[in-house]
């Protein structure tokens, strides 16, 4: 986007079919539904990209990631904030599942290419369950608002004009992956033709 202004990307990571792993997409959904962002801020649900995360990390002056994180001893729903140094501290690790977002690898790759963002933040939330299935546990449902607020506060502190769409609105519609699918009823079968009467 050629605005001449700094660009920040807010990236939601997670698999919407793996329980609490949908936290990142849920936060992005809430941000898009409740806030208006300036053109210098992109808000994107990137799912589980692996190394496909690199194009999203390359170029902007900053990125803010939101994802579930493991934190020993922390209760589900606990929010942890990490910066770039904390994310790359232990180096890349083998991808053990298709849900590994590849954050460390992406950051190191863009740094080697000379396109590293000036700042990186990860808003991490401790999950309760990442088993297959749709829907967040109650602890993560409550954490969605707090994680979204953390991101808005970070953007406001950096001088971006972020404001609510409707200050009086409190409800957010369900995202597409949690919207019940109602299949249309099949059309009734035509009535059989009456048999001819024999005389």
């Amino acid at each position: 986007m050629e605005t001449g202004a700094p660009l920040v990307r807010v990236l939601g990571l997670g698999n919407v079919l793996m329980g609490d792993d949908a936290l990142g997409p849920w936060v992005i959904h809430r941000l898009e539904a409740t806030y208006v962002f300036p053109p210098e801020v992109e808000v994107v649900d990137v799912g589980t990209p692996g190394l496909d995360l690199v194009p999203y990390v390359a170029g902007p002056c900053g990125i803010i990631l939101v994802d579930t994180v493991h934190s020993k001893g922390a209760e589900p729903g606990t929010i942890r904030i990490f910066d770039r140094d904390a994310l790359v501290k232990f180096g890349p690790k083998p991808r053990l599942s298709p849900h590994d977002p590849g954050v460390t690898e992406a950051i190191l790759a863009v740094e080697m290419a000379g396109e590293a963002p000036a700042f990186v933040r990860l808003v991490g939330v401790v999950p309760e369950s990442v088993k297959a299935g749709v829907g967040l546990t109650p602890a993560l449902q409550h954490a969605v608002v707090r994680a979204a607020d953390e991101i808005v506060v970070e953007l406001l502190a950096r001088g971006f004009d972020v404001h609510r769409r409707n200050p009086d609105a409190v409800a957010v519609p369900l995202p597409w992956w949690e919207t019940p699918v109602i299949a249309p009823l099949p059309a009734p079968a035509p009535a059989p033709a009456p048999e001819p009467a024999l005389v």
Side-chain angles (χ1 to χ4, degrees):
M1 193 166 298
E2 298 299 325
T3 63
L7 174 66
V8 171
R9 288 195 179 110
V10 180
L11 306 174
L13 302 169
N15 187 329
V16 299
L17 302 178
M18 298 297 291
D20 286 345
D21 199 39
L23 184 279
W26 244 113
V27 171
I28 296 300
H29 173 71
R30 179 175 179 81
L31 288 171
E32 292 177 328
T34 56
Y35 288 95
V36 177
F37 297 91
E40 298 82 15
V41 176
E42 291 182 350
V43 179
V44 187
D45 171 8
V46 291
T48 54
L51 282 179
D52 289 339
L53 183 61
V54 171
Y56 295 99
V57 177
C61 76
I63 60 170
I64 303 173
L65 304 153
V66 56
D67 195 4
T68 50
V69 296
H70 294 291
S71 183
K72 189 175 181 180
E75 294 291 326
T78 301
I79 291 180
R80 297 279 191 250
I81 307 296
F82 301 89
D83 61 13
R84 178 263 176 209
D85 291 346
L87 292 173
V88 303
K89 181 177 180 181
F90 299 105
K93 299 177 182 175
R95 294 194 72 199
L96 300 179
S97 82
H99 315 295
D100 187 333
V103 172
T104 302
E105 295 85 347
I107 292 172
L108 294 177
V110 297
E111 287 182 349
M112 290 181 65
E115 298 181 274
F119 74 91
V120 177
R121 294 285 184 277
L122 169 63
V123 178
V125 181
V126 177
E128 181 174 338
S129 171
V130 290
K131 295 179 181 176
V134 175
L136 301 176
T137 59
L140 272 285
Q141 291 175 21
H142 294 301
V144 167
V145 175
R146 291 184 285 116
D149 288 347
E150 288 282 351
I151 293 169
V152 170
V153 168
E154 176 83 26
L155 291 170
L156 291 173
R158 294 182 177 279
F160 291 101
D161 179 23
V162 180
H163 58 274
R164 292 185 69 94
R165 292 186 184 278
N166 180 357
D168 298 326
V170 292
V172 173
L174 287 175
W176 63 265
W177 63 87
E178 290 199 18
T179 303
V181 177
I182 302 175
L185 295 174
E195 294 183 3
L198 299 177
V199 195

